[in-house]
Coordinates of all heavy atoms in Angstrom, one line a residue:
M1 N -15.6 1.7 0.3 CA -14.3 2.0 -0.2 C -14.2 1.6 -1.7 O -14.7 0.6 -2.2 CB -13.2 1.1 0.5 CG -13.1 1.3 2.0 SD -12.1 2.7 2.4 CE -10.5 1.9 2.6
T2 N -13.7 2.5 -2.5 CA -13.6 2.4 -3.9 C -12.2 2.4 -4.4 O -11.4 3.2 -4.0 CB -14.3 3.6 -4.6 OG1 -15.6 3.8 -4.0 CG2 -14.4 3.4 -6.1
E3 N -11.8 1.4 -5.2 CA -10.5 1.3 -5.7 C -10.2 2.4 -6.7 O -11.1 2.6 -7.6 CB -10.1 -0.1 -6.2 CG -8.7 -0.2 -6.6 CD -8.3 -1.6 -7.1 OE1 -9.1 -2.5 -7.1 OE2 -7.1 -1.8 -7.3
I4 N -9.1 3.1 -6.6 CA -8.8 4.0 -7.7 C -7.5 3.6 -8.4 O -6.6 3.0 -7.8 CB -8.6 5.5 -7.1 CG1 -7.7 5.6 -5.9 CG2 -10.0 6.0 -6.7 CD1 -7.5 7.0 -5.4
K5 N -7.4 3.9 -9.6 CA -6.3 3.5 -10.5 C -5.2 4.6 -10.3 O -5.5 5.8 -10.4 CB -6.7 3.3 -11.9 CG -7.5 2.0 -12.2 CD -6.5 0.9 -12.5 CE -7.2 -0.5 -12.5 NZ -7.2 -1.2 -11.2
I6 N -4.0 4.1 -10.2 CA -2.9 5.0 -10.0 C -2.0 5.0 -11.3 O -1.6 3.9 -11.7 CB -2.0 4.7 -8.8 CG1 -2.9 4.7 -7.5 CG2 -0.8 5.6 -8.7 CD1 -3.5 6.0 -7.2
E7 N -1.8 6.1 -11.9 CA -1.0 6.1 -13.2 C 0.4 5.9 -12.9 O 1.1 5.1 -13.5 CB -1.2 7.5 -13.9 CG -2.6 7.8 -14.4 CD -3.0 6.8 -15.5 OE1 -2.1 6.3 -16.2 OE2 -4.2 6.6 -15.7
D8 N 1.0 6.7 -11.9 CA 2.4 6.6 -11.6 C 2.5 6.1 -10.2 O 2.5 6.9 -9.2 CB 3.0 8.0 -11.8 CG 4.5 8.0 -11.7 OD1 5.1 7.0 -11.0 OD2 5.2 8.8 -12.2
K9 N 2.7 4.8 -10.0 CA 2.7 4.3 -8.7 C 3.9 4.7 -7.9 O 3.8 4.9 -6.7 CB 2.7 2.7 -8.8 CG 1.3 2.2 -9.1 CD 1.3 0.7 -8.9 CE 0.0 0.3 -8.2 NZ 0.0 -1.2 -7.9
Q10 N 5.1 4.9 -8.6 CA 6.3 5.3 -7.9 C 6.0 6.7 -7.3 O 6.3 7.0 -6.1 CB 7.5 5.4 -8.8 CG 8.7 5.9 -8.2 CD 9.3 4.9 -7.2 OE1 9.8 3.8 -7.5 NE2 9.2 5.2 -5.9
E11 N 5.5 7.6 -8.1 CA 5.3 9.0 -7.6 C 4.2 9.0 -6.5 O 4.4 9.7 -5.4 CB 4.8 9.9 -8.8 CG 4.6 11.3 -8.3 CD 4.1 12.2 -9.5 OE1 3.6 11.6 -10.5 OE2 4.1 13.4 -9.3
Y12 N 3.2 8.3 -6.7 CA 2.1 8.3 -5.7 C 2.6 7.7 -4.4 O 2.4 8.3 -3.3 CB 0.9 7.4 -6.2 CG -0.2 7.4 -5.2 CD1 -1.2 8.3 -5.4 CD2 -0.3 6.5 -4.1 CE1 -2.3 8.4 -4.5 CE2 -1.3 6.5 -3.2 CZ -2.3 7.5 -3.4 OH -3.4 7.5 -2.5
F13 N 3.4 6.6 -4.4 CA 3.9 6.0 -3.2 C 4.8 6.9 -2.5 O 4.8 7.1 -1.2 CB 4.5 4.7 -3.5 CG 4.9 3.9 -2.3 CD1 3.9 3.1 -1.7 CD2 6.1 3.8 -1.8 CE1 4.2 2.4 -0.5 CE2 6.4 3.1 -0.7 CZ 5.4 2.4 0.0
T14 N 5.7 7.6 -3.2 CA 6.7 8.5 -2.6 C 6.0 9.6 -1.9 O 6.4 10.0 -0.8 CB 7.7 9.0 -3.7 OG1 8.3 7.9 -4.3 CG2 8.7 9.9 -3.1
N15 N 4.9 10.2 -2.6 CA 4.2 11.3 -2.0 C 3.4 10.9 -0.8 O 3.2 11.7 0.1 CB 3.3 12.0 -3.1 CG 4.2 12.7 -4.1 OD1 5.3 13.1 -3.9 ND2 3.6 12.8 -5.3
E16 N 2.8 9.8 -0.8 CA 1.8 9.4 0.2 C 2.3 8.5 1.3 O 1.6 8.3 2.3 CB 0.6 8.7 -0.5 CG -0.1 9.5 -1.6 CD -0.7 10.8 -1.1 OE1 -1.2 10.8 0.1 OE2 -0.8 11.8 -1.8
Y17 N 3.5 8.0 1.2 CA 4.1 7.1 2.2 C 4.0 7.9 3.5 O 4.5 9.0 3.7 CB 5.5 6.7 1.8 CG 6.1 5.7 2.7 CD1 5.6 4.4 2.6 CD2 7.1 5.9 3.5 CE1 6.1 3.4 3.4 CE2 7.7 4.9 4.3 CZ 7.2 3.6 4.2 OH 7.7 2.7 5.0
P18 N 3.4 7.2 4.6 CA 3.2 8.0 5.8 C 4.5 8.1 6.7 O 4.4 8.8 7.7 CB 2.2 7.1 6.5 CG 2.4 5.7 6.0 CD 2.8 5.9 4.6
F19 N 5.5 7.5 6.4 CA 6.7 7.6 7.2 C 7.8 8.2 6.3 O 7.7 8.5 5.1 CB 7.2 6.2 7.7 CG 6.1 5.4 8.3 CD1 5.6 4.3 7.7 CD2 5.5 5.9 9.5 CE1 4.6 3.5 8.3 CE2 4.5 5.1 10.1 CZ 4.0 4.0 9.5
S20 N 9.0 8.5 6.9 CA 10.1 9.0 6.1 C 10.8 7.9 5.4 O 10.5 6.7 5.7 CB 11.1 9.7 7.0 OG 11.5 8.9 8.1
N21 N 11.5 8.2 4.4 CA 12.3 7.2 3.6 C 11.4 6.2 3.0 O 11.5 5.0 3.4 CB 13.4 6.6 4.5 CG 14.4 7.6 5.0 OD1 14.7 8.5 4.3 ND2 14.8 7.4 6.3
P22 N 10.6 6.5 2.0 CA 9.8 5.5 1.3 C 10.7 4.4 0.7 O 11.7 4.7 0.1 CB 9.1 6.3 0.2 CG 9.5 7.7 0.3 CD 10.4 7.8 1.4
P23 N 10.3 3.1 0.9 CA 11.1 2.0 0.3 C 10.9 1.9 -1.2 O 10.0 2.5 -1.7 CB 10.6 0.8 1.0 CG 9.2 1.2 1.4 CD 9.2 2.6 1.7
K24 N 11.7 1.2 -1.9 CA 11.5 0.9 -3.3 C 10.3 0.1 -3.5 O 10.0 -0.8 -2.7 CB 12.8 0.2 -3.9 CG 14.0 1.0 -3.9 CD 15.1 0.3 -4.8 CE 16.3 1.1 -4.9 NZ 17.1 1.0 -3.6
L25 N 9.7 0.2 -4.7 CA 8.5 -0.5 -5.0 C 8.8 -2.0 -5.2 O 8.0 -2.9 -5.2 CB 7.8 0.0 -6.3 CG 7.2 1.4 -6.2 CD1 6.4 1.7 -7.4 CD2 6.3 1.6 -4.9
T26 N 10.1 -2.3 -5.5 CA 10.5 -3.7 -5.7 C 10.8 -4.4 -4.4 O 11.0 -5.7 -4.4 CB 11.8 -3.7 -6.6 OG1 12.7 -2.9 -6.0 CG2 11.5 -3.2 -8.0
E27 N 10.7 -3.7 -3.3 CA 11.0 -4.4 -2.0 C 9.8 -5.2 -1.5 O 8.7 -4.9 -1.9 CB 11.4 -3.4 -0.9 CG 12.8 -2.8 -1.1 CD 13.1 -1.8 0.0 OE1 12.7 -2.1 1.2 OE2 13.8 -0.9 -0.2
K28 N 10.1 -6.2 -0.7 CA 9.0 -7.1 -0.2 C 8.7 -6.7 1.3 O 9.6 -6.2 2.0 CB 9.4 -8.5 -0.3 CG 9.5 -9.0 -1.7 CD 9.9 -10.5 -1.7 CE 10.0 -11.0 -3.1 NZ 10.5 -12.4 -3.2
R29 N 7.5 -6.9 1.7 CA 7.1 -6.7 3.0 C 6.2 -7.8 3.4 O 5.6 -8.5 2.6 CB 6.3 -5.4 3.2 CG 7.2 -4.1 3.1 CD 8.1 -3.9 4.2 NE 8.8 -2.7 4.2 CZ 10.0 -2.5 3.6 NH1 10.5 -3.5 2.9 NH2 10.6 -1.4 3.6
E30 N 6.1 -8.0 4.8 CA 5.1 -9.0 5.2 C 3.9 -8.2 5.8 O 4.1 -7.3 6.6 CB 5.7 -9.9 6.3 CG 4.8 -10.9 6.8 CD 5.4 -11.9 7.8 OE1 6.6 -12.1 7.8 OE2 4.7 -12.4 8.7
C31 N 2.7 -8.5 5.3 CA 1.5 -7.8 5.7 C 1.0 -8.5 7.0 O 0.7 -9.7 7.0 CB 0.5 -7.9 4.6 SG -1.1 -7.2 5.1
L32 N 0.9 -7.7 8.0 CA 0.5 -8.3 9.3 C -1.0 -8.8 9.3 O -1.4 -9.6 10.1 CB 0.6 -7.3 10.4 CG 2.0 -6.9 10.8 CD1 2.0 -5.9 11.9 CD2 2.8 -8.1 11.2
H33 N -1.8 -8.3 8.4 CA -3.2 -8.6 8.4 C -3.5 -10.0 7.7 O -4.2 -10.8 8.2 CB -4.0 -7.5 7.8 CG -4.3 -6.4 8.7 ND1 -5.6 -6.0 9.1 CD2 -3.4 -5.6 9.4 CE1 -5.5 -5.0 10.0 NE2 -4.2 -4.7 10.2
C34 N -2.9 -10.2 6.5 CA -3.1 -11.4 5.8 C -1.9 -12.4 6.0 O -2.0 -13.6 5.6 CB -3.4 -11.2 4.3 SG -2.0 -10.4 3.4
G35 N -0.8 -11.9 6.6 CA 0.3 -12.8 6.8 C 1.1 -13.2 5.6 O 2.0 -14.0 5.7
E36 N 0.8 -12.6 4.5 CA 1.5 -12.9 3.2 C 2.6 -11.9 2.9 O 2.6 -10.8 3.3 CB 0.5 -12.9 2.1 CG -0.5 -14.0 2.2 CD -1.5 -14.1 1.0 OE1 -1.1 -13.6 -0.1 OE2 -2.6 -14.7 1.2
T37 N 3.6 -12.4 2.2 CA 4.7 -11.6 1.7 C 4.2 -10.9 0.5 O 3.8 -11.6 -0.5 CB 5.9 -12.4 1.5 OG1 6.3 -13.0 2.7 CG2 7.1 -11.5 1.0
I38 N 4.3 -9.6 0.4 CA 3.8 -8.8 -0.7 C 4.9 -8.0 -1.3 O 5.9 -7.7 -0.6 CB 2.6 -7.9 -0.3 CG1 3.0 -7.0 0.9 CG2 1.4 -8.8 0.1 CD1 3.0 -5.6 0.5
I39 N 4.8 -7.6 -2.6 CA 5.7 -6.7 -3.2 C 5.1 -5.3 -3.1 O 3.9 -5.2 -3.5 CB 6.0 -7.1 -4.7 CG1 6.7 -8.5 -4.7 CG2 6.9 -6.1 -5.4 CD1 6.8 -9.2 -6.0
I40 N 5.8 -4.4 -2.6 CA 5.3 -3.1 -2.4 C 4.6 -2.5 -3.6 O 3.5 -1.9 -3.5 CB 6.4 -2.1 -1.8 CG1 6.8 -2.6 -0.4 CG2 5.9 -0.7 -1.8 CD1 8.0 -1.9 0.2
G41 N 5.2 -2.7 -4.8 CA 4.7 -2.1 -6.0 C 3.4 -2.6 -6.4 O 2.7 -2.1 -7.3
D42 N 2.9 -3.7 -5.8 CA 1.6 -4.3 -6.1 C 0.5 -3.6 -5.3 O -0.7 -4.1 -5.3 CB 1.6 -5.8 -5.8 CG 2.4 -6.6 -6.8 OD1 2.7 -6.0 -7.9 OD2 2.9 -7.7 -6.5
F43 N 0.8 -2.6 -4.5 CA -0.2 -2.0 -3.7 C -1.4 -1.5 -4.4 O -1.3 -1.2 -5.6 CB 0.4 -0.8 -2.9 CG 0.7 0.4 -3.7 CD1 -0.3 1.4 -3.9 CD2 2.0 0.7 -4.2 CE1 0.0 2.6 -4.6 CE2 2.3 1.8 -4.9 CZ 1.3 2.8 -5.1
K44 N -2.5 -1.4 -3.7 CA -3.8 -0.9 -4.3 C -4.1 0.4 -3.5 O -3.7 0.5 -2.4 CB -4.9 -1.9 -4.2 CG -4.7 -3.1 -5.1 CD -5.9 -4.1 -4.9 CE -5.7 -5.3 -5.7 NZ -6.9 -6.3 -5.5
V45 N -4.9 1.2 -4.1 CA -5.3 2.4 -3.5 C -6.8 2.5 -3.4 O -7.5 2.2 -4.4 CB -4.8 3.7 -4.1 CG1 -5.3 5.0 -3.5 CG2 -3.3 3.7 -4.1
F46 N -7.4 2.7 -2.2 CA -8.8 2.8 -2.0 C -9.1 4.1 -1.4 O -8.4 4.7 -0.7 CB -9.3 1.6 -1.1 CG -9.4 0.3 -1.8 CD1 -8.2 -0.5 -1.9 CD2 -10.6 -0.2 -2.3 CE1 -8.3 -1.7 -2.6 CE2 -10.6 -1.4 -3.0 CZ -9.5 -2.2 -3.1
K47 N -10.3 4.6 -1.8 CA -10.8 5.9 -1.3 C -12.1 5.7 -0.6 O -13.0 4.9 -1.0 CB -11.1 6.7 -2.6 CG -11.4 8.2 -2.3 CD -11.3 9.0 -3.6 CE -12.5 8.7 -4.5 NZ -12.5 9.6 -5.7
D48 N -12.2 6.3 0.6 CA -13.4 6.1 1.4 C -14.4 7.3 1.1 O -14.2 8.1 0.2 CB -13.1 6.1 2.9 CG -12.6 7.4 3.5 OD1 -12.7 8.4 2.8 OD2 -12.1 7.3 4.6
N49 N -15.6 7.3 1.7 CA -16.6 8.2 1.4 C -16.2 9.7 1.7 O -16.9 10.6 1.2 CB -17.9 7.9 2.2 CG -18.5 6.6 1.7 OD1 -18.3 6.2 0.5 ND2 -19.2 5.9 2.5
S50 N -15.2 9.9 2.5 CA -14.7 11.2 2.8 C -13.5 11.6 1.9 O -12.8 12.6 2.2 CB -14.3 11.3 4.3 OG -15.3 10.9 5.1
N51 N -13.3 10.8 0.8 CA -12.2 11.1 -0.1 C -10.8 10.9 0.5 O -9.9 11.5 0.0 CB -12.4 12.4 -0.8 CG -13.4 12.4 -1.9 OD1 -13.6 11.4 -2.5 ND2 -14.0 13.5 -2.2
N52 N -10.7 10.2 1.6 CA -9.4 9.9 2.2 C -8.9 8.7 1.4 O -9.6 7.7 1.1 CB -9.5 9.5 3.6 CG -9.9 10.7 4.5 OD1 -9.4 11.7 4.4 ND2 -10.9 10.4 5.3
E53 N -7.6 8.8 1.0 CA -7.0 7.7 0.2 C -6.1 6.8 1.0 O -5.4 7.4 1.9 CB -6.3 8.2 -1.0 CG -7.2 8.9 -2.0 CD -6.5 9.6 -3.2 OE1 -5.3 9.4 -3.3 OE2 -7.2 10.3 -3.9
Y54 N -6.2 5.5 0.8 CA -5.4 4.6 1.6 C -4.5 3.7 0.7 O -5.0 3.2 -0.3 CB -6.3 3.7 2.5 CG -7.1 4.5 3.4 CD1 -8.4 4.9 3.0 CD2 -6.7 4.8 4.7 CE1 -9.2 5.6 3.9 CE2 -7.5 5.5 5.6 CZ -8.8 5.9 5.2 OH -9.5 6.7 6.0
I55 N -3.3 3.6 1.0 CA -2.4 2.6 0.4 C -2.7 1.3 1.0 O -2.4 1.1 2.2 CB -0.9 3.0 0.5 CG1 -0.7 4.4 -0.1 CG2 0.0 1.9 -0.1 CD1 0.8 4.9 0.1
C56 N -3.3 0.4 0.2 CA -3.8 -0.9 0.8 C -3.0 -2.1 0.3 O -2.3 -2.0 -0.7 CB -5.2 -1.1 0.4 SG -6.3 0.2 1.1
C57 N -3.1 -3.2 1.0 CA -2.5 -4.4 0.7 C -2.9 -4.9 -0.7 O -4.0 -4.7 -1.1 CB -2.9 -5.5 1.8 SG -2.3 -7.1 1.5
P58 N -2.0 -5.5 -1.5 CA -2.3 -6.0 -2.8 C -3.5 -7.1 -2.7 O -4.1 -7.3 -3.7 CB -1.0 -6.7 -3.3 CG 0.1 -6.0 -2.5 CD -0.5 -5.7 -1.1
N59 N -3.7 -7.6 -1.5 CA -4.7 -8.6 -1.4 C -6.1 -8.0 -1.0 O -7.0 -8.7 -0.8 CB -4.3 -9.7 -0.3 CG -3.1 -10.5 -0.8 OD1 -3.0 -10.9 -1.9 ND2 -2.2 -10.7 0.2
A60 N -6.1 -6.7 -1.0 CA -7.4 -6.0 -0.7 C -8.4 -6.3 -1.9 O -7.9 -6.5 -3.0 CB -7.2 -4.5 -0.6
P61 N -9.7 -6.4 -1.7 CA -10.4 -6.2 -0.4 C -10.4 -7.4 0.5 O -10.9 -7.3 1.6 CB -11.8 -5.8 -0.8 CG -11.9 -6.6 -2.1 CD -10.6 -6.6 -2.8
R62 N -9.8 -8.5 0.1 CA -9.8 -9.7 1.0 C -9.0 -9.4 2.2 O -9.4 -9.9 3.3 CB -9.1 -10.9 0.2 CG -8.9 -12.1 1.0 CD -8.5 -13.3 0.1 NE -7.3 -13.1 -0.7 CZ -6.1 -13.4 -0.2 NH1 -5.9 -13.8 1.0 NH2 -5.0 -13.2 -0.9
C63 N -8.0 -8.6 2.1 CA -7.2 -8.2 3.3 C -7.5 -6.7 3.6 O -7.6 -5.9 2.6 CB -5.7 -8.4 3.0 SG -4.6 -7.7 4.3
D64 N -7.6 -6.4 4.8 CA -7.9 -4.9 5.2 C -6.6 -4.2 5.7 O -6.7 -3.2 6.3 CB -9.0 -4.8 6.1 CG -8.7 -5.5 7.5 OD1 -7.6 -6.1 7.6 OD2 -9.6 -5.4 8.4
G65 N -5.5 -4.8 5.4 CA -4.2 -4.2 5.8 C -3.9 -3.0 5.0 O -4.2 -2.9 3.8
T66 N -3.2 -2.0 5.5 CA -2.7 -0.9 4.8 C -1.2 -0.8 5.0 O -0.6 -1.6 5.7 CB -3.4 0.4 5.2 OG1 -3.0 0.8 6.5 CG2 -4.9 0.3 5.1
V67 N -0.6 0.2 4.3 CA 0.8 0.4 4.3 C 1.4 0.4 5.7 O 2.6 -0.1 5.9 CB 1.2 1.7 3.5 CG1 0.7 2.9 4.2 CG2 2.7 1.8 3.3
I68 N 0.7 0.8 6.7 CA 1.3 0.9 8.1 C 1.3 -0.5 8.7 O 1.9 -0.7 9.8 CB 0.5 1.8 9.0 CG1 -1.0 1.4 9.2 CG2 0.6 3.3 8.5 CD1 -1.7 2.1 10.3
D69 N 0.7 -1.5 8.0 CA 0.7 -2.9 8.6 C 1.8 -3.8 8.0 O 1.8 -5.0 8.2 CB -0.7 -3.5 8.3 CG -1.8 -2.7 9.0 OD1 -1.7 -2.4 10.2 OD2 -2.7 -2.4 8.2
W70 N 2.7 -3.1 7.2 CA 3.7 -3.9 6.5 C 5.0 -3.9 7.2 O 5.5 -2.8 7.5 CB 3.9 -3.4 5.0 CG 2.6 -3.4 4.2 CD1 1.4 -4.0 4.5 CD2 2.4 -2.8 3.0 NE1 0.5 -3.8 3.5 CE2 1.1 -3.0 2.6 CE3 3.2 -2.0 2.2 CZ2 0.6 -2.5 1.4 CZ3 2.7 -1.5 1.0 CH2 1.4 -1.8 0.6
M71 N 5.5 -5.1 7.5 CA 6.8 -5.2 8.2 C 7.8 -5.8 7.3 O 7.5 -6.5 6.4 CB 6.6 -6.1 9.4 CG 5.6 -5.6 10.5 SD 6.2 -4.1 11.2 CE 4.6 -3.1 11.3
P72 N 9.1 -5.5 7.6 CA 10.1 -6.1 6.8 C 10.0 -7.6 6.7 O 9.7 -8.2 7.8 CB 11.4 -5.7 7.5 CG 11.1 -4.4 8.2 CD 9.6 -4.6 8.6
S73 N 10.0 -8.2 5.5 CA 9.9 -9.7 5.4 C 11.1 -10.3 5.8 O 12.2 -9.8 5.6 CB 9.4 -10.1 4.0 OG 10.4 -9.7 3.1
K74 N 11.0 -11.6 6.3 CA 12.2 -12.3 6.8 C 12.9 -13.0 5.6 O 12.3 -13.2 4.6 CB 11.8 -13.3 7.8 CG 11.4 -12.7 9.1 CD 10.5 -13.6 9.9 CE 9.1 -12.9 10.1 NZ 8.0 -13.8 10.3
Ligands
ZN101 ZN1 -2.6 -8.1 3.6

């Protein structure tokens, strides 16, 4: 997995968010993999050998959580 730099994080996140209604980048989520509260806008993007891109936890590569592992924080 290779980290790629995103110029416009808002645009990227809105386009690539896997569910409907992308949240704001300023919102917080709890990552189920590392258990930490993260700010959505701190996301990282990694690309695998097949050029699939993943919206990953800000704690990547220490954490292997992706956007689908983020739950509303308490
Ligand atoms: Zn995480």
Side-chain angles (χ1 to χ4, degrees):
M1 298 278 268
T2 310
E3 184 173 4
I4 53 179
K5 285 272 170 267
I6 303 301
E7 296 291 337
D8 188 335
K9 283 190 135 184
Q10 178 70 69
E11 182 186 14
Y12 184 91
F13 190 77
T14 302
N15 289 337
E16 303 296 329
Y17 190 67
F19 310 112
S20 55
N21 299 322
K24 292 193 180 76
L25 294 187
T26 52
E27 287 185 34
K28 291 178 180 174
R29 288 290 184 274
E30 185 176 330
C31 174
L32 291 179
H33 281 238
C34 60
E36 293 183 24
T37 299
I38 54 115
I39 297 170
I40 291 172
D42 290 338
F43 72 87
K44 294 180 179 178
V45 176
F46 285 82
K47 188 166 72 173
D48 68 14
N49 292 334
S50 306
N51 279 335
N52 296 307
E53 295 178 7
Y54 300 92
I55 298 174
C56 295
C57 178
N59 295 321
R62 173 165 63 83
C63 172
D64 63 358
T66 66
V67 64
I68 61 169
D69 302 308
W70 301 348
M71 297 295 140
S73 63
K74 286 156 246 157

